[in-house]
Amino acid sequence: GTGNVNLNGDTVRVGDNDANATITTQGTGDLTLSTNGGTDSGTIKIADAANGDITLETDGTGGQVGIGTVSSPDTDLHIKTPNAVITLQRTADANQPGIDFQQSGGNVRAKLRMDGTSGTSNEVFIQTYDGSSLAERFRVQHTGAKVTGTLNVDDGISITDNIITTSASNADLELKASGTG
């Protein structure tokens, strides 16, 4: 027939015993899960299409998602497991997986990325926005670290090119060796 089906119960079971089950739409159309008749409710939406998105949208000011044994998430994404790890796996070594940080208008203002084209020489780098463009500021290489610009150590010493500067007024710059060196 046509119209909606209302089930007056608190549990719905689908599928045969000990068999996988599928919940799907009849033809094209998105599949949406919500509560409260879709009013004042967050949703999980599976968009129709070969490359359709899956979105998780919260309602109101809540907006927090818990994964694992989280009874009350206290951050936007709270993962609670014995060994919580987030994995970003690239499928082509020429690409740069990572995390982008956007400002309120949706523009990227910082990036944390993995770089490198082989499994043995991958590097991690950070780009930040200087007011007009994103530029690399720090890179961790498999042989050490590289800073673009000035390296500030503890707000006491800065290193730029071949100049080492101290911030303490009228103080000596001292190099101390360990032991009797």
Side-chain angles (χ1 to χ4, degrees):
T2 60
N4 298 326
V5 174
N6 293 314
L7 303 173
N8 293 324
D10 55 5
T11 303
V12 175
R13 293 189 176 109
V14 297
D16 297 327
N17 193 24
D18 298 327
N20 295 333
T22 301
I23 298 175
T24 187
T25 61
Q26 181 69 31
T28 61
D30 299 339
L31 180 63
T32 302
L33 256 47
S34 66
T35 62
N36 199 21
T39 305
D40 297 329
S41 171
T43 59
I44 298 172
K45 180 179 178 182
I46 303 172
D48 176 59
N51 296 312
D53 295 329
I54 298 174
T55 56
L56 176 70
E57 186 174 328
T58 57
D59 185 58
T61 59
Q64 297 170 329
V65 176
I67 298 174
T69 58
V70 180
S71 60
S72 181
D74 57 7
T75 57
D76 292 334
L77 177 59
H78 186 152
I79 301 172
K80 183 178 178 183
T81 64
N83 188 25
V85 174
I86 296 174
T87 300
L88 303 175
Q89 180 179 359
R90 63 183 175 183
T91 56
D93 283 339
N95 295 329
Q96 297 176 333
I99 300 172
D100 287 353
F101 301 89
Q102 296 180 348
Q103 46 89 282
S104 62
N107 298 309
V108 176
R109 295 299 187 235
K111 292 182 177 186
L112 173 62
R113 290 279 199 265
M114 183 182 81
D115 198 4
T117 57
S118 72
T120 59
S121 62
N122 291 315
E123 301 174 351
V124 175
F125 66 91
I126 298 172
Q127 292 181 335
T128 58
Y129 186 71
D130 65 5
S132 61
S133 65
L134 284 166
E136 183 176 312
R137 309 296 181 203
F138 183 73
R139 180 175 288 259
V140 178
Q141 301 168 314
H142 64 280
T143 58
K146 176 182 168 184
V147 174
T148 304
T150 300
L151 172 64
N152 182 324
V153 180
D154 225 8
D155 283 333
I157 297 175
S158 64
I159 303 171
T160 305
D161 297 323
N162 63 338
I163 300 171
I164 300 173
T165 308
T166 64
S167 62
S169 179
N170 298 321
D172 293 336
L173 174 61
E174 299 179 25
L175 300 175
K176 292 187 178 183
S178 178
T180 60

